[in-house]
Amino acid sequence: MKRLVVFTGAGMSADSGLATFRDADGLWANYRIEDVCTPEALARNRALVIRFYNERRREMLRCEPNAGHRAIAALERDFDVDVLTQNVDDLHERAGSTRVTHLHGELRKLRSTANPDLIVPIEGWEQPLDARASDGSLLRPHIVFFGESVPMFERAAEIAARAEIMVVVGTSLAVYPAASLVRYVRPGVPIYLVDPGNPDTCGIRNPLTVIRKRASEGVPELAGLLRRTFADK
Ligand code: APR
């Protein structure tokens, strides 16, 4: 089976009802990053940050995977698939994808503020403001804030470097280091991009095929193309 790497962003979950970040009605049009998605914000106004991620979690639990998530999960029948996602929702997993690497954290986890390796699952949507980890420290969302390191990037880059096909869905390719993953694929490896908008593809040096459609329509269409082109070859 060919190794297929699928790199996704917020647009992947838009058709499930979750807001993206940089579209006109996106999260960053309604919240300031420095108020809800930086270590300084957590230190300065913990309640606002916890409430922001509680709301994201509540919305996630109300949503279902869309046809794009399901098509990616079904590709595991014909390809050796790894999903590298910038998304913090669990829709890829709920759709059935079995190898998902979250570059920017996961809404369904919290972590100690004293030990980043002490990570705990959260049931339901609400993190109580004063919830503490077993080490006694206050818990925080297991989310990579702006200005923080991206611990999973090295692993993701190794996976991208092994890809024989890369699919990119629903990311503006505006945030680094995640966006640089398109440059870790070996020369000649074909890249297929599904997005109704205009992501920043200037960093892509490989053969590029663009499907200018929403994920729920474009990804199932692309899955058919990939099977016809590469499966069992
Ligand atoms: N289907 C597919 N793509 C879509 C859809 C859709 N229905 N709707 C919008 N898009 C596309 C947009 O055209 C855009 O290219 O999804 C992309 C969303 O871009 P962003 O909002 O910037 O989201 P993303 O690229 O995931 O942001 C990266 O930035 O704020 C940080 O940590 C956050 O992981 C996030 C990172």
Short mmCIF file of all heavy atoms in Angstrom, two decimals, residues 9-12 14-15 20-23 28 86-87 104 144 146 169-175 194-199 213-216, ligand 1:
data_model
loop_
_atom_site.label_atom_id
_atom_site.label_comp_id
_atom_site.label_asym_id
_atom_site.label_seq_id
_atom_site.Cartn_x
_atom_site.Cartn_y
_atom_site.Cartn_z
N GLY A 9 -6.52 21.23 8.24
CA GLY A 9 -6.71 22.41 9.07
C GLY A 9 -8.19 22.62 9.32
O GLY A 9 -9.03 21.77 9.01
N ALA A 10 -8.50 23.80 9.86
CA ALA A 10 -9.86 24.08 10.36
C ALA A 10 -10.93 23.91 9.29
O ALA A 10 -12.07 23.58 9.58
CB ALA A 10 -9.91 25.48 10.94
N GLY A 11 -10.58 24.14 8.02
CA GLY A 11 -11.56 23.99 6.95
C GLY A 11 -12.08 22.58 6.84
O GLY A 11 -13.20 22.34 6.37
N MET A 12 -11.29 21.61 7.33
CA MET A 12 -11.71 20.20 7.30
C MET A 12 -12.99 20.04 8.12
O MET A 12 -13.86 19.25 7.79
CB MET A 12 -10.58 19.34 7.90
CG MET A 12 -10.86 17.86 7.92
SD MET A 12 -10.66 17.10 6.32
CE MET A 12 -12.27 16.38 6.09
N ALA A 14 -15.12 22.58 8.90
CA ALA A 14 -16.12 23.64 8.67
C ALA A 14 -17.48 23.05 8.30
O ALA A 14 -18.52 23.50 8.77
CB ALA A 14 -15.63 24.59 7.58
N ASP A 15 -17.46 22.00 7.48
CA ASP A 15 -18.75 21.42 7.05
C ASP A 15 -19.40 20.60 8.15
O ASP A 15 -20.51 20.09 7.99
CB ASP A 15 -18.55 20.56 5.79
CG ASP A 15 -18.19 21.40 4.58
OD1 ASP A 15 -18.34 22.64 4.65
OD2 ASP A 15 -17.71 20.84 3.59
N THR A 20 -13.81 28.21 11.31
CA THR A 20 -12.38 28.25 11.03
C THR A 20 -11.79 29.43 11.81
O THR A 20 -12.45 30.02 12.66
CB THR A 20 -12.15 28.42 9.52
OG1 THR A 20 -12.70 29.69 9.14
CG2 THR A 20 -12.80 27.30 8.71
N PHE A 21 -10.54 29.76 11.54
CA PHE A 21 -9.89 30.86 12.28
C PHE A 21 -9.85 32.13 11.47
O PHE A 21 -10.12 33.22 11.99
CB PHE A 21 -8.46 30.44 12.67
CG PHE A 21 -8.43 29.34 13.67
CD1 PHE A 21 -8.29 28.02 13.28
CD2 PHE A 21 -8.58 29.63 15.03
CE1 PHE A 21 -8.29 26.99 14.23
CE2 PHE A 21 -8.58 28.62 15.99
CZ PHE A 21 -8.43 27.29 15.57
N ARG A 22 -9.48 32.02 10.17
CA ARG A 22 -9.17 33.24 9.41
C ARG A 22 -10.20 33.57 8.33
O ARG A 22 -10.00 34.49 7.57
CB ARG A 22 -7.75 33.12 8.81
CG ARG A 22 -6.70 33.14 9.90
CD ARG A 22 -5.30 32.84 9.44
NE ARG A 22 -4.43 32.79 10.62
CZ ARG A 22 -4.35 31.72 11.41
NH1 ARG A 22 -5.06 30.61 11.12
NH2 ARG A 22 -3.60 31.72 12.51
N ASP A 23 -11.26 32.77 8.23
CA ASP A 23 -12.31 33.17 7.29
C ASP A 23 -13.04 34.38 7.87
O ASP A 23 -12.86 34.72 9.05
CB ASP A 23 -13.29 32.00 7.06
CG ASP A 23 -12.65 30.91 6.19
OD1 ASP A 23 -11.77 31.24 5.37
OD2 ASP A 23 -12.99 29.73 6.37
N TRP A 28 -10.86 34.17 14.87
CA TRP A 28 -10.01 35.35 15.12
C TRP A 28 -10.65 36.63 14.64
O TRP A 28 -10.09 37.70 14.83
CB TRP A 28 -8.62 35.13 14.52
CG TRP A 28 -7.85 33.95 15.05
CD1 TRP A 28 -6.98 33.17 14.36
CD2 TRP A 28 -7.91 33.38 16.38
NE1 TRP A 28 -6.46 32.18 15.16
CE2 TRP A 28 -7.02 32.27 16.39
CE3 TRP A 28 -8.60 33.70 17.55
CZ2 TRP A 28 -6.81 31.48 17.54
CZ3 TRP A 28 -8.40 32.91 18.68
CH2 TRP A 28 -7.52 31.83 18.68
N GLN A 86 -3.89 20.04 12.24
CA GLN A 86 -3.73 21.23 13.08
C GLN A 86 -4.97 21.38 13.98
O GLN A 86 -4.98 22.22 14.87
CB GLN A 86 -3.57 22.48 12.23
CG GLN A 86 -2.35 22.43 11.31
CD GLN A 86 -2.33 23.58 10.33
OE1 GLN A 86 -1.79 24.66 10.59
NE2 GLN A 86 -2.97 23.35 9.18
N ASN A 87 -5.98 20.59 13.71
CA ASN A 87 -7.25 20.73 14.43
C ASN A 87 -7.18 20.09 15.80
O ASN A 87 -6.47 19.10 16.00
CB ASN A 87 -8.39 20.11 13.61
CG ASN A 87 -8.57 20.79 12.28
OD1 ASN A 87 -8.12 21.94 12.10
ND2 ASN A 87 -9.17 20.12 11.33
N HIS A 104 -1.42 20.78 17.18
CA HIS A 104 -1.73 21.92 18.04
C HIS A 104 -2.54 21.54 19.27
O HIS A 104 -3.15 22.40 19.90
CB HIS A 104 -2.47 23.00 17.22
CG HIS A 104 -1.59 23.60 16.17
ND1 HIS A 104 -2.10 24.22 15.04
CD2 HIS A 104 -0.24 23.63 16.03
CE1 HIS A 104 -1.09 24.65 14.29
NE2 HIS A 104 0.04 24.27 14.86
N VAL A 144 -1.75 23.92 22.00
CA VAL A 144 -0.52 24.68 21.77
C VAL A 144 -0.91 26.15 21.55
O VAL A 144 -1.56 26.47 20.53
CB VAL A 144 0.24 24.14 20.54
CG1 VAL A 144 1.47 25.00 20.27
CG2 VAL A 144 0.64 22.68 20.76
N PHE A 146 -0.13 30.19 20.82
CA PHE A 146 0.86 30.95 20.05
C PHE A 146 2.04 31.28 20.96
O PHE A 146 1.87 31.62 22.12
CB PHE A 146 0.23 32.25 19.51
CG PHE A 146 -0.66 32.02 18.31
CD1 PHE A 146 -2.00 31.75 18.49
CD2 PHE A 146 -0.13 32.03 17.03
CE1 PHE A 146 -2.82 31.51 17.39
CE2 PHE A 146 -0.94 31.80 15.92
CZ PHE A 146 -2.29 31.53 16.11
N VAL A 169 -5.92 19.53 3.21
CA VAL A 169 -7.34 19.90 3.21
C VAL A 169 -7.59 21.01 4.24
O VAL A 169 -7.26 20.87 5.41
CB VAL A 169 -8.25 18.72 3.58
CG1 VAL A 169 -9.73 19.12 3.46
CG2 VAL A 169 -7.97 17.49 2.72
N GLY A 170 -8.17 22.13 3.77
CA GLY A 170 -8.77 23.10 4.68
C GLY A 170 -7.79 23.80 5.60
O GLY A 170 -8.08 24.01 6.78
N THR A 171 -6.61 24.20 5.05
CA THR A 171 -5.71 25.01 5.85
C THR A 171 -5.21 26.18 5.02
O THR A 171 -4.88 26.02 3.85
CB THR A 171 -4.51 24.21 6.40
OG1 THR A 171 -3.63 25.10 7.10
CG2 THR A 171 -3.76 23.46 5.32
N SER A 172 -5.14 27.35 5.67
CA SER A 172 -4.65 28.54 4.96
C SER A 172 -3.14 28.46 4.74
O SER A 172 -2.56 29.28 4.03
CB SER A 172 -5.01 29.79 5.77
OG SER A 172 -4.40 29.71 7.07
N LEU A 173 -2.48 27.51 5.39
CA LEU A 173 -1.01 27.36 5.30
C LEU A 173 -0.34 28.65 5.78
O LEU A 173 0.68 29.09 5.23
CB LEU A 173 -0.58 27.00 3.88
CG LEU A 173 -1.03 25.60 3.41
CD1 LEU A 173 -0.81 25.44 1.91
CD2 LEU A 173 -0.30 24.50 4.18
N ALA A 174 -0.94 29.26 6.81
CA ALA A 174 -0.47 30.57 7.30
C ALA A 174 0.33 30.48 8.58
O ALA A 174 0.98 31.43 8.99
CB ALA A 174 -1.67 31.49 7.54
N VAL A 175 0.26 29.31 9.26
CA VAL A 175 0.87 29.21 10.59
C VAL A 175 2.02 28.21 10.56
O VAL A 175 1.88 27.07 10.11
CB VAL A 175 -0.19 28.80 11.63
CG1 VAL A 175 0.45 28.50 12.98
CG2 VAL A 175 -1.23 29.91 11.76
N VAL A 194 -7.40 20.31 -1.25
CA VAL A 194 -8.85 20.54 -1.31
C VAL A 194 -9.17 21.76 -0.44
O VAL A 194 -8.93 21.75 0.77
CB VAL A 194 -9.65 19.33 -0.80
CG1 VAL A 194 -11.16 19.61 -0.85
CG2 VAL A 194 -9.31 18.07 -1.61
N ASP A 195 -9.69 22.81 -1.09
CA ASP A 195 -10.00 24.04 -0.37
C ASP A 195 -10.82 24.93 -1.30
O ASP A 195 -10.42 25.15 -2.43
CB ASP A 195 -8.67 24.75 0.01
CG ASP A 195 -8.88 25.87 1.03
OD1 ASP A 195 -9.83 26.67 0.88
OD2 ASP A 195 -8.09 25.94 1.99
N PRO A 196 -11.97 25.49 -0.83
CA PRO A 196 -12.76 26.37 -1.70
C PRO A 196 -12.14 27.77 -1.82
O PRO A 196 -12.52 28.54 -2.69
CB PRO A 196 -14.12 26.45 -1.00
CG PRO A 196 -13.81 26.21 0.44
CD PRO A 196 -12.62 25.29 0.48
N GLY A 197 -11.19 28.05 -0.90
CA GLY A 197 -10.58 29.39 -0.89
C GLY A 197 -9.22 29.39 -1.57
O GLY A 197 -8.95 28.56 -2.44
N ASN A 198 -8.38 30.30 -1.10
CA ASN A 198 -7.05 30.48 -1.71
C ASN A 198 -5.95 30.39 -0.66
O ASN A 198 -5.40 31.42 -0.26
CB ASN A 198 -6.99 31.85 -2.42
CG ASN A 198 -7.94 31.89 -3.61
OD1 ASN A 198 -7.77 31.12 -4.56
ND2 ASN A 198 -8.97 32.72 -3.52
N PRO A 199 -5.62 29.18 -0.22
CA PRO A 199 -4.52 29.07 0.75
C PRO A 199 -3.18 29.47 0.14
O PRO A 199 -3.05 29.52 -1.09
CB PRO A 199 -4.54 27.58 1.12
CG PRO A 199 -5.24 26.90 0.00
CD PRO A 199 -6.21 27.89 -0.57
N LYS A 213 -12.91 23.00 -3.85
CA LYS A 213 -14.24 22.65 -3.32
C LYS A 213 -14.18 22.51 -1.80
O LYS A 213 -13.09 22.37 -1.22
CB LYS A 213 -14.72 21.32 -3.93
CG LYS A 213 -15.02 21.40 -5.42
CD LYS A 213 -15.63 20.11 -5.94
CE LYS A 213 -15.98 20.23 -7.43
NZ LYS A 213 -16.50 18.94 -7.97
N ARG A 214 -15.35 22.51 -1.17
CA ARG A 214 -15.46 22.26 0.26
C ARG A 214 -15.05 20.81 0.54
O ARG A 214 -15.20 19.93 -0.30
CB ARG A 214 -16.88 22.51 0.74
CG ARG A 214 -17.42 23.90 0.40
CD ARG A 214 -18.87 24.04 0.83
NE ARG A 214 -18.96 24.05 2.29
CZ ARG A 214 -18.88 25.14 3.04
NH1 ARG A 214 -18.71 26.32 2.47
NH2 ARG A 214 -18.97 25.09 4.36
N ALA A 215 -14.57 20.59 1.76
CA ALA A 215 -14.04 19.26 2.12
C ALA A 215 -15.10 18.17 1.96
O ALA A 215 -14.81 17.08 1.46
CB ALA A 215 -13.53 19.29 3.55
N SER A 216 -16.34 18.47 2.33
CA SER A 216 -17.35 17.41 2.33
C SER A 216 -17.68 16.93 0.92
O SER A 216 -18.15 15.82 0.73
CB SER A 216 -18.64 17.89 3.02
OG SER A 216 -19.09 19.09 2.41
N1 APR B 1 -13.82 22.95 3.28
C1 APR B 1 -12.47 23.01 3.08
N2 APR B 1 -11.73 24.10 3.37
C2 APR B 1 -12.39 25.17 3.87
C3 APR B 1 -13.78 25.18 4.09
C4 APR B 1 -14.50 24.00 3.77
N3 APR B 1 -15.84 23.93 3.94
N4 APR B 1 -14.13 26.41 4.59
C5 APR B 1 -12.98 27.12 4.68
N5 APR B 1 -11.95 26.39 4.23
C6 APR B 1 -10.53 26.76 4.15
C7 APR B 1 -10.23 28.23 4.01
O1 APR B 1 -10.29 28.62 2.64
C8 APR B 1 -8.81 28.31 4.57
O2 APR B 1 -7.85 28.00 3.58
O3 APR B 1 -9.93 26.38 5.37
C9 APR B 1 -8.81 27.20 5.63
C10 APR B 1 -8.94 27.73 7.05
O4 APR B 1 -7.77 28.47 7.35
P1 APR B 1 -7.55 28.94 8.87
O5 APR B 1 -8.82 29.49 9.39
O6 APR B 1 -6.31 29.78 8.88
O7 APR B 1 -7.29 27.60 9.68
P2 APR B 1 -5.95 26.78 9.79
O8 APR B 1 -5.16 26.84 8.52
O9 APR B 1 -6.28 25.44 10.31
O10 APR B 1 -5.14 27.59 10.94
C11 APR B 1 -3.90 27.04 11.36
O11 APR B 1 -3.81 28.67 13.14
O12 APR B 1 -4.93 29.83 14.77
C12 APR B 1 -4.08 28.78 14.53
O13 APR B 1 -3.80 26.89 15.89
C13 APR B 1 -4.69 27.48 14.99
O14 APR B 1 -4.47 25.30 13.99
C14 APR B 1 -4.78 26.65 13.71
C15 APR B 1 -3.73 27.29 12.83
#
